[in-house]
Structure formats: C-alpha cells, structure tokens
Amino acid sequence: MSLNGVKQLARQLMTHRHHRPHALLTPSPFALPSSVSTINARLLFTRSITPILRHAYQYHPPPLRSPLTTASTMTTTTSADHPLNLDAIFKQKKALRSKVRRDLKSMDPTLRSKEDDAIQNLALEAPWFKSCQKLCAYISCSALREVDTSKLLAQILNYSSKDDYLQMGKTLYVPRVEDKNSHMRMLKISSMDDLIANSMNILEPAPMDSEGKEREDVMLADHPVDLLLLPGLAFDKSGRRLGRGGGYYDAFLTRYQGLVKERKWKQPFLVALSYSVQIMDEGVVPVTPNDVFVDALVSPSGVIPISAAAKARCQ
C-alpha cells in the first residue's frame, strides 16, 4: 500500500473509530463476512490493521477526546503538535512494566500480606460489592504478584455462615485463557474445586463441569454482570490501567462492552485491585486507543472513585 493509501485509510479509520466505533470501513479490503457479529468486528479489524497504523498514526493523529467521564472512554495524549506515536507509547509501557515489576518484587512480604487483607476487606464491605448479583473476578496468582483474591472468592462461593448472607445468590465468572491471541473467556464456577492449573500453573476453570456439561460463558449469558474485578500492573488516578502486555483483558472488555451496548444493558462497574506501589499520579500510565479505563481502584488506604458512575456509587 502506498503512503497516500495509508494516509487515506488512517483518516477513514479515525472517523469510524470516533463516530461509529462498531462500524466497518466500506468498501474495504478488510471487510468481514456478514456472519461475523458486530461485537467482534471492531476487535478483528483493529488487529488486522495494527501494523499499518503504527506508521499511519504518525501522520494522521486521532482528534482530541473530551475528559474522562466513564470507564469506556479512552483518552490519548495526542494533539496537533504531538501526534500519537504507538512505538513510543509501547516503549513507555515496557519501561513502566519493568519498574513496577521491580517494585513488586522488592515489596516486603509482611506489607504485601497486610495490603492484601486491607484491599479485600474494603471490597467486601463496599456497597457496590454487596449489592451485585453477577460478577467477573480474576483468580490471583502469587507468582505474578497480583493482589490476592482468595478471601473474596471464598466469600462469594461459600455463603453457608450467617455472616455471609449478603453474598447469597451471587453468580461468579472467572477467566480462562484460550490461546495466545488475546482470547480469554469468563466461565461460571460454583466452587474452587472447579479450577485446574494451566500450562503456566495458573488456576482457571475447566471448560466442562463435573457432569460433563459446558460451563456458562458470560458472553452467552441471558443477563449482564454488575461488576468486574480486574488485575493489572499499574494504574493511575484518571482510570488508566496497564496490563502485562498480552491484551487479554482489554480485548475481553471491548467485546463485552460491545455486547452490553448491543443488548441495551447497563454497563458493568469496572474495579481494579491495586497495591500502593502500583498506583501512579494522574496521567502517568501511557495508553493507546484500545485501552479500557476503570471506574474505580481499591487500594489499601481506601476506594478511589474515578468515573462519574463511581463517584455516585461511593457517596
């Protein structure tokens, strides 16, 4: 493709990205068959065009966005004088990941344990957690130094004692990685015994239950989830989230938010759990147009509401 062709394609994509986010370019050499749902269309198209955009964005930056108002709003540092340079942003992300990994590795085990307890207790007592009926939550991995979720999951799955009566009726979906192409599903479980270790020794749900039936996929459920509890490497106070580089959560969230919008459901509340060393100043975490923002952070010192929805819930 010539440089002029790259420029024209970039202009078209920016127009559709900002004004018709689930539409495909027409006509287009990347047009998808009608059998592909609109939920997956944007994700598939973006992946196919990414190598071209790494160059094209340097010539035709996307227009400035308004300030963050919801979790799904995605901001960039682009302006007429400072065009979006994806290669530079990826380098910034890599550097920040390295820094945060070092900070997590050097974290005192006693402090880590105290922060784990504080974060989980804050989440358990939060009104938005107590009131949710269906939620997605990650299964923490100590090797990755993620905020522990074992107590949260136990409270959701084991509600036999009187102290856990508020957790009764909750439906829980947890992640299962399907391949190395950012494909992750959220499957329903009813017990920690439903989990098995994958090739990386990370617990995830088996695709079939003990009766040989396929587990319910949240993307195929009849009702939406109210809440998603998310992991990450770094966060800032404007809602930016830095993952580990695989793109699994951003890809899943994009698909699920598209499903919710298509079915005219209420968007779920996105909450990230974070150690103190993972929280950066506002605007520090670099982002690309595909990154999904969170509504709130739960840190050892308290819940940090970010979006308008979070501020309303945390009043």
Side-chain angles (χ1 to χ4, degrees):
M1 179 182 289
S2 68
L3 180 57
N4 287 335
V6 171
K7 291 180 178 180
Q8 183 180 4
L9 183 57
R11 290 192 191 99
Q12 289 178 316
L13 181 58
M14 287 305 97
T15 299
H16 281 254
R17 186 175 206 88
H18 294 287
H19 302 293
R20 296 177 60 198
H22 294 290
L24 295 177
L25 300 181
T26 305
S28 169
F30 300 96
L32 300 175
S34 58
S35 60
V36 178
S37 69
T38 56
I39 300 167
N40 293 314
R42 177 189 175 192
L43 182 61
L44 292 173
F45 179 80
T46 301
R47 285 178 182 168
S48 67
I49 202 67
T50 295
I52 296 174
L53 290 181
R54 284 177 182 269
H55 177 74
Y57 274 158
Q58 296 181 33
Y59 293 89
H60 295 282
L64 286 173
R65 291 179 177 270
S66 57
L68 175 68
T69 56
T70 66
S72 60
T73 303
M74 293 178 283
T75 63
T76 70
T77 56
T78 303
S79 70
D81 297 325
H82 298 86
L84 180 63
N85 185 327
L86 291 184
D87 286 332
I89 293 174
F90 293 147
K91 288 178 181 178
Q92 292 169 8
K93 286 189 173 188
K94 183 178 180 180
L96 184 56
R97 287 189 181 103
S98 297
K99 176 188 180 301
V100 176
R101 285 192 177 104
R102 289 195 300 269
D103 291 342
L104 288 171
K105 186 176 182 179
S106 62
M107 195 173 177
D108 180 79
T110 301
L111 176 61
R112 183 191 303 278
S113 179
K114 288 182 179 179
E115 292 202 0
D116 279 330
D117 287 341
I119 292 167
Q120 291 183 95
N121 289 337
L122 284 165
L124 287 168
E125 292 302 316
W128 41 261
F129 179 84
K130 290 182 177 181
S131 63
C132 79
Q133 295 298 310
K134 299 178 184 295
L135 73 156
C136 296
Y138 71 95
I139 302 166
S140 56
C141 175
S142 58
L144 296 178
R145 298 182 176 88
E146 294 175 326
V147 172
D148 186 23
T149 56
S150 60
K151 185 176 180 180
L152 278 165
L153 298 180
Q155 288 276 27
I156 295 167
L157 296 172
N158 304 318
Y159 47 80
S160 56
S161 71
K162 65 179 182 179
D163 292 334
D164 297 328
Y165 73 96
L166 286 173
Q167 318 307 329
M168 293 183 67
K170 281 183 173 27
T171 300
L172 176 64
Y173 300 87
V174 296
R176 175 182 171 83
V177 172
E178 298 293 351
D179 56 41
K180 295 181 180 180
N181 298 316
S182 303
H183 181 205
M184 180 180 75
R185 294 194 294 160
M186 289 282 183
L187 303 183
K188 180 181 176 181
I189 65 169
S190 56
S191 166
M192 293 299 286
D193 294 334
D194 295 337
L195 305 176
I196 57 175
N198 63 15
S199 59
M200 297 181 65
N201 204 34
I202 297 174
L203 291 176
E204 61 182 17
M208 312 292 282
D209 63 21
S210 58
E211 298 178 356
K213 298 179 181 178
E214 285 192 14
R215 295 192 185 280
E216 182 177 87
D217 187 326
V218 74
M219 293 294 295
L220 303 176
D222 294 329
H223 302 283
V225 295
D226 311 301
L227 171 69
L228 283 100
L229 296 178
L230 307 172
L233 260 182
F235 313 90
D236 69 23
K237 295 180 180 180
S238 60
R240 300 180 181 197
R241 172 187 170 273
L242 179 68
R244 296 180 181 275
Y248 289 95
Y249 276 91
D250 285 321
F252 167 77
L253 290 171
T254 298
R255 288 191 299 123
Y256 191 71
Q257 289 177 332
L259 173 69
V260 170
K261 184 176 181 179
E262 187 177 88
R263 296 192 179 183
K264 298 181 179 179
W265 289 338
K266 183 179 179 180
Q267 289 289 345
F269 195 48
L270 308 185
V271 178
L273 308 184
S274 176
Y275 292 120
S276 299
V277 297
Q278 294 177 285
I279 299 178
M280 311 290 145
D281 292 333
E282 185 172 346
V284 167
V285 174
V287 293
T288 57
N290 288 330
D291 292 334
V292 178
F293 285 66
V294 299
D295 287 300
L297 299 173
V298 181
S299 73
S301 58
V303 177
I304 303 173
I306 296 168
S307 70
K311 292 174 181 177
R313 292 187 184 211
C314 297
Q315 285 181 348

